[in-house]
Amino acid sequence: MAGRVEGKVAFITGAARGQGRSHAVRLAQEGADIIAVDICKQVRENMVIPTATSDDLAMTADLVKETGRRIVTAEVDVRDFDALKAAVDSGVEQLGRLDIVVANAGIGNGGDTLDKTSEEDWQEMIDINLSGIWKSVKAAVPHVIAGGNGGSIILTSSVGGLKAYPQTGAYIAAKHGVVGLARLFAVELGQHSIRVNSIHPTNVNTPMFMNEGTMKMFRPDLENPGPDDMAIVAKLMHVLPIGWVEPEDISNAVLFLASDESRYITGLPMTVDAGSMLK
Ligand code: NDP
């Protein structure tokens, strides 16, 4: 039986680990070849969350190949348009076409209220989580248009792109901006039958969320909180009785948006949030 994205090619950013890796594997399982990029190093020194590595991106490649699909990888910073363009151009040359873009790479700094956020932290967040999404689409979309088959673009925002949480101001602003980008691209690219939607996960079980800093943020009352301690508080965010979702849950939504099953859905902010927006 043909896969749900059989014969298509998908370009995915932030694919060395977490959701990006999961999207790559899920789309490959359903028949797509993959162009995968990731920075594979610290965005800057002293990042709280441990960074992805070249080995992580190689692991993504292995997992995609195990499905029988092809993959082209490159170590690219989404702030660097020329490098993004070179990676996509090379990927399309090798794989023959481009149909799907998943602009997923992002960072998750936080901790300060907006009035205390440094200009450096603000700028870095906007450069990666907002401008990086724009540059990823800008680098890729000429190939999708040239293919003449339409296409699907999925921009990773967050529940934090639809509502505000304190002490994450730059992140919230960037993720709200992603909704604007999705709407604008949807309006401009519709004439080419290219659909553009944003996806809005709640907490996802990836290194960005499942780390010591987040556990301490959720449980400042405990000396050494663990996942079970965090879950008690994280559950309060949701209608469904869970503290977080798994990367595969986001990938299944990405797959639906990438496939022709959603052929007339465009400009949609799609939540995968266990009901967080109802709270
Ligand atoms: P991860 O930290 O596991 O993965 C993010 C990946 O993006 C990392 O491999 C990281 O590389 C890469 N990356 C970061 N900056 C850049 C850059 N400038 N250029 C290229 N690659 C980069 O987190 P997730 O998989 O969870 O995050 C994926 C997306 O989902 C992000 O946009 C995030 O904001 C969003 N999201 C996450 C939620 C969560 O709870 N986890 C909730 C809602 C949204 P490296 O580690 O080497 O820096």
Side-chain angles (χ1 to χ4, degrees):
M1 203 177 86
R4 292 163 69 189
V5 284
E6 192 75 35
K8 300 191 181 196
V9 175
F11 169 54
I12 304 172
T13 70
R17 71 178 190 194
Q19 294 174 61
R21 172 189 284 170
S22 172
H23 300 340
V25 173
R26 190 75 191 93
L27 290 171
Q29 285 168 343
E30 294 292 337
D33 290 333
I34 307 294
I35 303 166
V37 303
D38 199 288
I39 190 170
C40 295
K41 59 180 186 220
Q42 298 238 325
V43 164
R44 67 174 149 83
E45 278 179 25
N46 308 323
M47 292 292 284
V48 182
I49 304 167
T51 182
T53 63
S54 304
D55 286 349
D56 289 322
L57 188 57
M59 171 69 86
T60 298
D62 288 346
L63 291 168
V64 166
K65 285 179 198 155
E66 276 171 24
T67 71
R69 303 311 309 185
R70 295 177 294 167
I71 180 166
V72 175
T73 62
E75 294 188 16
V76 172
D77 185 337
V78 294
R79 290 171 290 188
D80 183 344
F81 174 75
D82 291 340
L84 274 170
K85 186 173 175 322
V88 187
D89 289 353
S90 163
V92 172
E93 201 181 318
Q94 294 175 66
L95 300 176
R97 58 189 287 165
L98 187 63
D99 309 275
I100 298 160
V101 179
V102 188
N104 158 84
I107 56 167
N109 269 348
D112 293 323
T113 54
L114 259 186
D115 58 325
K116 305 249 164 54
T117 298
S118 71
E119 283 186 43
E120 188 195 8
D121 284 353
W122 171 270
Q123 197 57 52
E124 180 182 71
M125 184 62 74
I126 299 299
D127 286 347
I128 296 175
N129 284 20
L130 182 58
S131 305
I133 300 255
W134 167 61
K135 289 178 188 178
S136 300
V137 177
K138 184 173 149 77
V141 83
H143 293 291
V144 188
I145 294 173
N149 303 305
S152 174
I153 297 175
I154 298 126
L155 310 185
T156 302
S157 177
S158 165
V159 166
L162 299 172
K163 70 193 230 189
Y165 297 102
Q167 282 151 303
T168 50
Y171 185 83
I172 297 287
K175 292 298 190 183
H176 274 71
V178 171
V179 178
L181 278 183
R183 290 187 174 137
L184 235 301
F185 276 129
V187 166
E188 292 181 349
L189 297 172
Q191 61 185 310
H192 303 289
S193 298
I194 297 172
R195 303 179 293 103
V196 187
N197 298 289
S198 54
I199 194 140
H200 300 264
T202 183
N203 310 322
V204 188
N205 187 4
T206 67
M208 185 182 289
F209 172 73
M210 197 54 73
N211 64 69
E212 204 185 311
T214 312
M215 290 179 210
K216 284 194 171 139
M217 195 175 79
F218 272 82
R219 296 305 303 265
D221 55 314
L222 299 178
E223 186 103 1
N224 286 310
D228 290 346
D229 303 312
M230 180 162 71
I232 295 166
V233 178
K235 272 184 195 169
L236 302 175
M237 297 170 70
H238 303 135
V239 169
L240 300 175
I242 54 159
W244 49 83
V245 301
E246 297 300 324
E248 296 76 23
D249 297 306
I250 313 305
S251 301
N252 285 331
V254 165
L255 172 62
F256 169 69
L257 290 174
S259 77
D260 294 340
E261 293 157 25
S262 60
R263 65 183 177 161
Y264 296 129
I265 298 178
T266 194
L268 176 72
M270 179 185 271
T271 54
V272 183
D273 72 337
S276 162
M277 287 303 294
L278 297 171
K279 289 238 169 170

